[in-house]
Amino acid sequence: MSDKSAENDGMIPGALLGPEADKRLEQMISHASAVICDNAQPLADLPKSLARIAPEAPALEVTLALASAANAIQSVLGTGGDSGRRAQGVWRQAAMVAVEVHYLTVTGLAEPRAADLLRHWAQDGDGPDQP
């Protein structure tokens, strides 16, 4: 493992992505964390809102942001309580987004972007698994 990899907790690539991607990912994780911790905000549209924040991002960054936020919340607050349970639902969303990215790839889209996910969800009439 390189020194740069050892500096991370294993969830957020940090400086490995480059400054622009790091800033974008940080914004997405911050937004997802805030939604997870606010019981008044529904989780159902969280993947879509992340894709709207950064439509140019590789589609798997939506998965990374969801998983990173869920991991951070559960690391700090545990798995119990409202935020911990909401984070568990976000883990499920991250898995479903990853499946949908794979679907887009095997159906011919070589490097799907977050905007491609938004189009796919609009055509399907829904989005990732709802917690």
Side-chain angles (χ1 to χ4, degrees), residues 37-118:
C37 291
D38 184 352
N39 290 338
Q41 293 192 48
L43 292 176
D45 285 333
L46 181 56
K48 290 179 187 176
S49 69
L50 293 177
R52 286 185 195 109
I53 287 172
E56 75 289 352
L60 279 176
E61 277 190 26
V62 175
T63 298
L64 180 57
L66 290 165
S68 296
N71 183 62
I73 296 302
Q74 289 186 327
S75 292
V76 172
L77 300 176
T79 57
D82 290 339
S83 293
R85 284 188 294 277
R86 286 169 61 87
Q88 193 61 41
V90 172
W91 275 113
R92 188 171 56 248
Q93 286 180 326
M96 293 306 299
V97 170
V99 167
E100 293 190 25
V101 171
H102 180 67
Y103 171 80
L104 291 174
T105 302
V106 299
T107 58
L109 195 55
E111 295 181 32
R113 299 283 171 193
D116 298 316
L117 282 171
L118 289 169

